[in-house]
Amino acid sequence: MKTLQSLEKTVHALIAEGKGILAADESAGTCDKRFDAYGIPKTPEMRRKWRQLLFSTSGIQNGLSGVILYDETIKQKADDGTPFPKLLQGRGIIPGIKVDGGTVPWEGSLSEKITNGLDGLLGRLAEYHTLGARFAKWRAVITIGEGLPTEGCIRENAIRLAMYARACQVADIVPILEPEVLLDGTHTLARSKEVLTQTLEIVFEEVQKYGAHLEGLLLKSSMALPGKESGLTASPEEVATATLDAFTASVPASVPGIVFLSGGQTPEEATIRLNTIVQMAKAQKAPWVTTFSYSRALQAPVLEYWKGQEANASGAQAIFEKRVKESSLASKGEFK
Ligand code: 13P
């Protein structure tokens, strides 16, 4: 790989102090589902208006290092004709791209899922690089339940993540590996930590087997949390301890950074827990930088205010600016 230095430069820009990533890479279908809740028309034009509102919010460049886009979005333009990747670059924000093809039921166990998208990946990466993308995301989902996850499903997802990581690095694109351990379920915090540890151990085993350059990638992870339907609660300190214990057991020290998904936590929960994780990671002198790569925890209150109405746009942007600022503070362990 001739591009190691270039990959590392992108990685370090993405995890710069006080910065994190906005995941705005919802597929058209997922974005439409979010729009449905407010009766917003499900059209490419409304999805474009929504992304324009987010990307043109003032001040966000102080807290965002990168934005993950979707295939439709990376090809869309702002009202003045500026392509979205260019608009972001102009603000010092690195454009990224979701390249997985979504999940399908896994034949090995029908209640688990596997992520598709390796076919034609190198060609798509070359195209996205031309469009300005310098990092990418691939999401696998790991389900906790009765007898789940199976090692077979974790392994198959890990192999695909590793192959994706290699392909990205060859294309001078930083891969973000996202094996999301789902919040859904009745499991305990201890079980979540156990599954997170097992998943990440297998992922990094395969990533190393396939020869991906660890210093040139980022991990996107869930926090260890009790299942959403468990009726259990955990303090930010308990969440941070369990999460960092899982990482210490499974994530090589040469991985530069771990970014968190919000995964159905409220914006407040995601912010407070990140703040505590960062404080604890700093106190433990953890080898990796920890920050955010949220979608819902950054966007949900903004969409709720906007509702697709032009008259609400500036108010929605004020909420987004505040969400980015709070997340940025949390990524430094300074959120109060
Ligand atoms: P959430 O923060 O809404 O979990 O989304 C993050 C993401 O990128 C999921 O793939």
Side-chain angles (χ1 to χ4, degrees):
M1 261 172 269
K2 60 174 174 24
T3 51
L4 294 187
Q5 269 180 329
S6 159
L7 291 169
E8 288 178 22
K9 199 170 150 225
T10 304
V11 163
H12 288 287
L14 286 171
I15 55 173
E17 171 82 0
K19 295 207 177 163
I21 296 169
L22 166 68
D25 61 329
E26 299 84 1
S27 64
T30 302
C31 193
D32 287 349
K33 222 186 300 162
R34 309 248 155 97
F35 280 9
D36 245 351
Y38 304 106
I40 302 169
K42 297 179 282 189
T43 61
E45 174 57 10
M46 286 311 277
R47 293 194 291 272
R48 187 194 69 83
K49 276 194 189 313
W50 169 234
R51 267 62 182 252
Q52 172 171 267
L53 182 152
L54 296 173
F55 306 160
S56 59
T57 295
S58 67
I60 57 165
Q61 70 279 6
N62 301 320
L64 294 181
S65 55
V67 172
I68 317 174
L69 305 168
Y70 176 60
D71 182 72
E72 176 183 86
T73 324
I74 200 170
K75 295 167 183 165
Q76 286 180 322
K77 296 177 175 151
D79 290 344
D80 68 359
T82 310
F84 280 152
K86 246 206 174 98
L87 186 160
L88 293 168
Q89 285 162 342
R91 309 193 62 189
I93 298 172
I94 305 171
I97 181 76
K98 167 192 174 75
V99 299
D100 67 71
T103 59
V104 291
W106 186 52
E107 288 161 26
S109 133
L110 289 176
S111 40
E112 294 184 287
K113 289 192 167 144
I114 189 77
T115 302
N116 281 335
L118 289 172
D119 283 355
L121 180 57
L122 269 176
R124 281 187 288 128
L125 288 169
E127 184 198 359
Y128 291 139
H129 193 279
T130 309
L131 292 171
R134 291 296 177 270
F135 73 104
K137 186 191 96 173
W138 178 289
R139 174 175 177 260
V141 299
I142 305 297
T143 309
I144 306 182
E146 192 75 27
L148 301 179
T150 62
E151 202 207 312
C153 186
I154 300 176
R155 177 86 47 197
E156 182 61 29
N157 271 306
I159 290 169
R160 294 182 188 199
L161 277 163
M163 292 171 80
Y164 142 83
R166 269 293 293 187
C168 284
Q169 291 186 334
V170 167
D172 184 32
I173 288 185
V174 168
I176 297 187
L177 283 65
E178 183 185 17
E180 175 174 358
V181 175
L182 296 176
L183 183 61
D184 309 298
T186 55
H187 51 272
T188 61
L189 174 65
R191 178 71 183 135
S192 171
K193 171 180 148 182
E194 186 178 64
V195 172
L196 189 57
T197 308
Q198 184 194 13
T199 299
L200 297 178
E201 275 171 357
I202 295 175
V203 165
F204 284 105
E205 210 180 291
E206 294 302 333
V207 163
Q208 282 167 293
K209 231 191 260 174
Y210 279 80
H213 178 60
L214 292 179
E215 290 82 356
L217 57 79
L218 292 170
L219 170 67
K220 177 158 176 168
S221 180
S222 319
M223 298 176 190
L225 294 167
K228 205 158 129 194
E229 292 83 33
S230 66
L232 301 167
T233 54
S235 68
E237 289 72 23
E238 288 168 325
V239 169
T241 303
T243 303
L244 291 172
D245 282 356
F247 293 164
T248 302
S250 61
V251 183
S254 43
V255 171
I258 303 172
V259 298
F260 288 101
L261 57 102
S262 57
Q265 302 177 67
T266 65
E268 193 181 25
E269 286 168 343
T271 309
I272 291 171
R273 288 166 176 165
L274 173 65
N275 194 60
T276 308
I277 289 171
V278 170
Q279 286 175 348
M280 209 177 272
K282 284 187 174 169
Q284 292 177 2
K285 301 205 181 337
W288 353 262
V289 171
T290 46
T291 184
F292 61 91
S293 174
Y294 296 153
S295 161
R296 283 164 290 176
L298 282 170
Q299 296 184 40
V302 189
L303 184 64
E304 187 182 350
Y305 189 92
W306 180 55
K307 293 190 173 70
Q309 304 296 322
E310 192 50 43
N312 299 338
S314 67
Q317 286 186 321
I319 295 170
F320 185 49
E321 189 175 357
K322 182 158 176 276
R323 283 304 306 132
V324 170
K325 175 97 183 123
E326 289 168 346
S327 305
S328 164
L329 285 170
S331 78
K332 296 189 277 187
E334 292 171 8
F335 177 70
K336 300 254 172 358

